[in-house]
């Protein structure tokens, strides 16, 4: 056993993944019960990408994310309460109830935030990491995005610029096989294609199995170390999409009704980790219990939090209230 | 977030006559020298010094780490600058022609403009996006548009549109020091045709009060305008005064947002008549916003119809005779203002 797959690491990774999984399932139930509004994009099944990468980051490393970003936020240090309050639209939410599910921002945790425009967060992380280096700060950026981002011009533009200016940024492509309903296989071919494509640009690129969080962690550890020396790198994490694109997306129109569920049964990173570390089952059970308690406690706590006031709706459009109004 | 403190400037400031383009350069130079967080990014801004010379010599003076040639990737440049700004930098992005900003629109509108708000005030995007706009230089339909109305519509953006070199200098320095994203609309027609005495020793005041400027006082009618059209309106007004004795009051807005409605209202109260002149396409242009604001809040002061004078609803054509049929000419402005004055 190398130092990277010690029992301590296993428990830490497990705990982070379970928090994400249980929060996502909890949000699903809250929506079904009519206690949350809007939509959300579940990251169930993709936890290993967020956790495996974020566990090797420092608190002030800067992360950008996507519309499917609850996992990234939680893994980078956004609290369960802050996230839930945000999804309830409350003033104590991580974005003050102004952002909702797709616009979580928490720079104090190094979470620049989600960008709900596909590929839009890539230059944020790369530019922020570069800007921080310009100011002598020893941090890196990490941008999470999906396979769909590779269909955007910004994907290539940002990678070229990151290479040209040596931005210390790790680009993490979560290839879940579907850009909404468009199969990645049809567009790009087999998993790993994104990695090969980027490697051809002269950027260090790796592919890793997202059902194995220890592998993700190990590869991320090595790539993050490389990125800290002042270069961009790319990591393709092969995952699957266990849920529909978004809450009420009629996915049965474009794929078999049970395909997400079936994929998760065979590739669940959480149960895989449990199976791989059988000696820790008691500790894992204990974590399950703690997380469940945490979530119900936090839900009760934040739900009674501050309701947003209508007269606060125009705050922070600008730094200084310009005094120009609609009247 | 960590900030680098301001450093002592080593520039020697003098009172100089500068062209509009030189005023851009002088403002960039002053801010680059004052604040290490300021960086200039754009296509050909380095060795070439910008296609309109607005960054000439800056890379040599401040180095390739501060004045950066970018690939032809407007979207990534804008997004990169948004990220850098969130991390405490003060990037100034040059979009070679305003027409190319469409490629960067998502990052400006969905990113820069919204981040302070949607992060509940946790993030700032101190970004300036400079762009030469407008017709008059015979660049044809994809290099001549005047698109500031689009940006003025977006909450979160400041829209600056200077009409003269002295304003360019002050407004650009203030824009770079602003913690809000600024869309800085320059007139490429005026780059080498307008100049002014600039006192480089005067530091820009903060916080900025974005106000309009009364260019010429008059009692017969108010003309609200901005950017390149200011010069045309001034010439038209001078002719009208000489030929017909009509006294136009001219207001150069300088900023489309924040909008100095007070200056407009005060003037209309005196003159009772309003014309709005802009180079942007007239239909759904910002003149409509001014007109409706005045109709809504100053109706009792009005003694005539509000007149809008903007470009025709057509792309800006290459041939001069066609361009003059699309973009408001001095003759057209004069004719319309005379009609209003005699209403």
């Amino acid at each position: 056993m190398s130092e990277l797959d010690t029992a301590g690491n296993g428990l830490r990774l497990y705990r982070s993944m379970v928090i994400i999984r249980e929060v996502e399932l909890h949000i699903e139930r809250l929506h079904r019960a009519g206690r949350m509004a809007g939509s959300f994009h579940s990251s169930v099944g993709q936890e290993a990408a967020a956790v495996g990468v974020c566990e090797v980051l420092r608190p002030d490393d800067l992360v950008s994310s996507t519309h499917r970003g609850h996992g990234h936020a939680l893994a980078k240090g956004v609290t369960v309460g802050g996230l839930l309050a945000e999804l309830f639209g409350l003033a104590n939410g991580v974005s003050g109830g102004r952002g909702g599910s797709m616009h979580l921002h928490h720079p104090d945790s190094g979470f620049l935030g989600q960008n709900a425009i596909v590929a839009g967060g890539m230059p944020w992380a790369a530019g922020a990491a570069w800007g921080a280096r310009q100011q002598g700060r020893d941090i890196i950026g990490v941008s999470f995005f999906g396979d769909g981002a590779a269909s955007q011009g910004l994907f290539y533009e940002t990678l070229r610029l990151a290479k040209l200016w040596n931005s210390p940024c790790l680009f993490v492509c979560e290839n879940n096989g579907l850009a909404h309903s468009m199969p990645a296989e049809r567009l790009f071919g087999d998993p790993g294609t994104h990695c090969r494509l980027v490697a051809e640009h002269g950027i260090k690129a790796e592919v890793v199995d997202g059902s194995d969080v220890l592998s993700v962690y190990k590869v991320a550890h090595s790539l993050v170390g490389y990125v800290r020396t002042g270069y961009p790198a790319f990591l393709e994490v092969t995952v699957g999409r266990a849920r529909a694109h978004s809450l009420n997306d009629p996915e049965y129109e474009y794929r078999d009704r049970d395909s997400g569920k079936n994929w998760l049964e065979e590739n669940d990173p959480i149960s895989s980790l449990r199976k791989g570390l059988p000696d820790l089952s008691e500790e894992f059970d204990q974590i399950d219990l703690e997380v469940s308690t945490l979530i119900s406690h936090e839900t009760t706590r934040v739900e009674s939090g501050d309701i947003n006031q209508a007269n606060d709706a125009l705050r922070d459009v600008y730094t200084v209230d310009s005094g120009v109004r609609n009247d | 977030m960590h900030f680098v403190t301001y450093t002592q400037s080593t520039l020697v400031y003098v009172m100089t006559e500068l062209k509009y383009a030189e005023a851009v350069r002088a403002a960039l130079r002053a801010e680059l020298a004052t604040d290490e967080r300021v960086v200039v990014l754009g296509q050909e801004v380095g060795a070439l010094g910008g296609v309109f010379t607005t960054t000439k010599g800056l890379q040599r003076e401040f180095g390739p780490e501060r004045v950066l040639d970018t690939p032809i990737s407007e979207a990534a440049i804008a997004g990169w600058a948004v990220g850098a700004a969130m991390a405490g930098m003060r990037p100034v992005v040059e979009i070679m022609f305003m027409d190319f900003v469409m490629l960067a629109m998502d990052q400006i509108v969905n990113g820069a403009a919204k981040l302070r708000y949607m992060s509940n005030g946790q993030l700032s995007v101190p970004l300036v996006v400079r762009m030469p706009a407008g017709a008059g230089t015979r660049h044809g339909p994809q290099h001549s548009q005047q698109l500031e109305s689009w940006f003025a519509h977006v909450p979160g953006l400041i829209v600056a549109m200077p009409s003269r070199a002295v304003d360019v200098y002050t407004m650009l320095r203030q824009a770079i020091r602003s913690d809000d994203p600024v869309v800085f609309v320059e007139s490429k027609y005026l780059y080498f045709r307008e100049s002014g005495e600039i006192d480089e020793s005067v530091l820009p005041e903060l916080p900025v009060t974005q106000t309009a400027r009364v260019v010429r006082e008059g009692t017969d009618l108010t003309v609200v305008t901005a950017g390149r059209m200011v010069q045309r309106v001034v010439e038209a007004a001078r002719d009208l005064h000489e030929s017909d004795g009509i006294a136009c009051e001219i207001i150069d807005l300088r900023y489309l947002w924040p909008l100095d409605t007070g200056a407009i209202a005060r003037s209309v109260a005196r003159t009772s008549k309003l014309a709005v002149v802009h180079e942007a396409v007239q239909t759904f242009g910002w003149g409509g916003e001014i007109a409706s604001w005045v109709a809504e809040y100053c109706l009792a002061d009005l003694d005539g119809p509000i007149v809008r004078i903007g470009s025709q609803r057509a792309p800006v054509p290459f041939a001069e005779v066609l361009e003059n049929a699309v973009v408001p000419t001095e003759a057209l402005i004069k004719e319309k203002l005379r009609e209003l004055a005699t209403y």
Side-chain angles (χ1 to χ4, degrees):
Chain A
M1 261 190 165
S2 82
E3 58 156 322
L4 293 178
D5 36 26
T6 58
N9 271 332
L11 290 173
R12 216 154 43 88
L13 296 167
Y14 181 83
R15 187 183 162 81
S16 291
M17 288 201 296
V18 170
I19 288 176
I20 296 170
R21 172 71 53 88
E22 292 306 317
V23 165
E24 294 287 54
L25 295 176
H26 183 57
I27 293 167
E28 241 172 55
R29 288 190 295 269
L30 289 168
H31 270 281
R32 302 282 181 224
R35 287 164 70 190
M36 270 186 184
S39 186
F40 94 103
H41 303 78
S42 174
S43 66
V44 163
Q46 303 185 192
E47 297 87 353
V51 169
V53 172
C54 289
E55 283 291 328
V56 296
L57 299 181
R58 298 174 188 161
D60 54 353
D61 288 333
L62 297 171
V63 166
S64 74
S65 167
T66 70
H67 56 287
R68 200 178 305 286
H70 298 168
H72 309 135
L74 292 168
K76 192 61 181 63
V78 168
T79 63
V80 171
L83 184 145
L84 288 174
E86 183 60 31
L87 270 62
F88 284 127
L90 297 169
N92 52 340
V94 73
S95 303
R98 290 151 173 250
S101 166
M102 288 188 276
H103 313 92
L104 306 167
H105 298 273
H106 198 239
D108 284 350
S109 303
F111 192 65
L112 284 175
Q114 296 169 274
N115 188 330
I117 309 299
V118 171
M122 294 178 70
W124 286 6
W130 173 87
R133 284 284 159 118
Q134 295 273 104
Q135 297 168 78
R137 290 160 63 200
D138 179 28
I139 63 149
I140 68 162
V142 173
S143 170
F144 289 97
F145 48 90
D147 49 282
S151 301
Q152 291 277 20
L154 198 53
F155 176 93
Y156 302 92
E157 291 184 25
T158 305
L159 288 168
R160 291 309 314 166
L161 212 49
K163 172 108 168 54
L164 180 70
W165 290 343
N166 291 328
S167 171
C169 183
L170 178 63
F171 297 94
V172 183
C173 175
E174 294 177 350
N175 185 353
N176 69 10
L178 280 170
H180 199 150
S181 72
M182 173 64 78
E185 203 177 5
R186 214 177 121 199
L187 259 178
F188 297 103
D190 296 334
T193 304
H194 295 95
C195 174
R196 289 194 295 278
L197 203 133
V198 172
E200 282 297 313
H201 284 248
I203 293 169
K204 190 178 175 70
E206 308 246 9
V207 59
V208 68
D209 174 7
S211 67
D212 177 1
V213 70
L214 288 170
S215 294
V216 178
Y217 181 74
K218 267 184 269 190
V219 176
H221 190 272
S222 140
L223 284 179
V224 162
Y226 168 77
V227 169
R228 285 201 195 282
T229 65
Y231 302 99
F234 185 93
L235 175 61
E236 177 177 349
V237 188
T238 58
V239 289
R241 206 182 72 201
R243 291 294 189 269
H245 166 70
S246 58
L247 192 62
N248 295 314
D249 172 46
E251 58 170 335
Y252 48 83
E253 297 282 5
Y254 56 83
R255 68 169 178 175
D256 290 343
R257 209 170 273 270
D258 287 333
S259 53
K261 197 172 120 239
N262 293 341
W263 175 85
L264 188 61
E265 268 169 27
E266 288 162 27
N267 299 281
D268 185 351
I270 295 175
S271 49
S272 300
L273 184 62
R274 284 192 77 120
K275 268 183 228 139
L277 299 167
D279 296 348
L280 298 175
S281 66
E282 268 181 40
E283 284 90 338
F284 287 146
D285 288 344
Q286 180 60 29
I287 288 172
D288 289 351
L289 196 65
E290 281 167 20
V291 169
S292 156
T293 310
L294 170 78
I295 291 171
S296 68
H297 176 264
E298 286 299 280
T299 307
T300 314
R301 188 180 67 82
V302 301
E303 242 188 328
S304 59
D306 300 339
I307 292 165
N308 263 306
Q309 300 299 317
N311 63 10
D312 204 31
L314 302 185
R315 177 176 53 77
D316 280 320
V317 180
Y318 294 92
T319 313
V320 185
D321 176 11
S322 56
V324 188
R325 58 280 120 186
N326 272 345
D327 53 10
Chain B
M1 294 254 160
H2 170 89
F3 292 105
V4 173
T5 50
Y6 277 53
T7 54
Q8 283 294 316
S9 168
T10 52
L11 291 180
V12 178
Y13 295 112
V14 279
M15 192 82 170
T16 1
E17 172 88 11
L18 294 180
K19 292 190 170 118
Y20 192 113
E22 292 169 331
V24 171
R25 183 162 73 240
L28 292 173
R29 182 165 175 253
E31 290 305 311
L32 279 161
T34 313
D35 187 346
E36 287 174 6
R37 301 169 301 175
V38 176
V39 283
V40 171
L41 304 91
Q43 292 154 22
E44 339 312 337
V45 299
L48 184 69
V51 293
F52 296 108
T53 71
T54 49
T55 57
K56 195 174 171 186
L58 295 180
Q59 192 183 63
R60 207 175 310 123
E61 186 172 354
F62 296 100
E65 293 285 303
R66 307 278 313 278
V67 180
L68 297 106
D69 278 317
T70 66
I72 306 166
S73 309
E74 284 83 359
I77 298 159
W80 190 280
V82 170
M86 284 195 279
M89 299 293 282
R90 295 193 166 263
V92 183
V93 167
E94 176 175 304
I95 300 288
M96 193 187 283
F97 285 77
M98 190 179 203
D99 313 67
F100 307 166
V101 79
M102 268 77 102
L103 294 156
M105 213 62 174
D106 171 62
Q107 288 292 339
I108 297 171
V109 177
N110 278 318
K114 291 179 178 56
L115 273 159
R116 170 178 298 281
Y117 188 84
M118 65 184 177
S119 73
N120 199 26
Q122 296 174 93
L123 291 164
S124 278
V125 185
L127 163 72
V128 179
V129 188
R130 294 179 40 236
M131 44 192 113
T137 53
R138 313 291 310 286
H139 279 92
Q142 293 180 330
H143 288 68
S144 302
Q145 293 167 89
Q146 194 72 49
L147 303 168
E148 67 278 5
S149 299
W150 293 0
F151 295 101
H153 189 65
V154 178
L157 296 179
I158 287 174
V159 183
M161 199 160 96
S163 68
R164 50 182 195 152
V166 285
D167 285 340
V168 164
Y169 182 75
T170 312
M171 287 164 68
L172 183 52
R173 292 196 67 180
Q174 285 171 329
I176 295 168
R177 288 165 184 241
S178 163
D179 283 335
D180 293 313
V182 179
V183 170
F184 201 83
V185 185
E186 295 166 13
S187 164
K188 60 181 177 284
Y189 177 86
L190 294 177
Y191 273 152
F192 307 107
R193 292 181 175 89
E194 211 288 316
S195 60
E197 283 271 298
I198 290 165
D199 185 354
E200 293 181 59
S201 67
V202 178
L203 277 174
E205 277 178 42
L206 283 175
V208 184
T209 315
Q210 290 98 342
T211 52
R213 175 179 70 102
V214 178
V215 182
R216 179 193 173 107
E217 291 189 345
T219 49
D220 293 332
L221 60 95
T222 298
V223 190
V224 172
T225 184
R228 172 161 85 108
M229 286 295 130
V230 171
Q231 202 183 50
R232 249 174 219 197
V233 171
V234 166
E235 281 158 19
R238 196 172 47 217
D239 287 1
L240 279 176
H241 191 251
E242 282 169 15
S243 60
D244 302 62
I246 296 165
C248 297
E249 178 145 305
I250 302 169
I251 294 177
D252 174 1
L253 282 180
R254 297 200 281 202
Y255 292 91
L256 291 195
W257 198 268
L259 182 59
D260 191 350
T261 48
I264 300 169
R266 282 192 297 276
S267 180
V268 170
R270 278 199 299 275
T271 65
S272 306
K273 282 176 180 163
L274 173 69
V276 191
V277 182
H278 59 60
E279 187 175 336
V281 169
Q282 183 173 311
T283 47
F284 294 90
W286 55 266
E289 174 62 27
I290 311 265
S292 68
W293 190 89
V294 168
E296 218 170 330
Y297 300 103
C298 312
L299 190 63
D301 292 329
L302 285 174
D303 189 22
I306 300 170
V307 172
R308 289 175 299 151
I309 307 167
S311 284
Q312 296 291 321
R313 197 174 176 82
V316 179
F318 171 68
E320 196 173 11
V321 63
L322 298 178
E323 182 185 307
N324 287 337
V326 169
V327 177
T329 57
E330 194 193 317
L332 177 83
I333 294 167
K334 211 158 42 178
E335 181 195 320
K336 296 268 191 185
L337 296 184
R338 185 187 286 117
E339 265 175 41
L340 179 61
T342 53
Y343 175 83

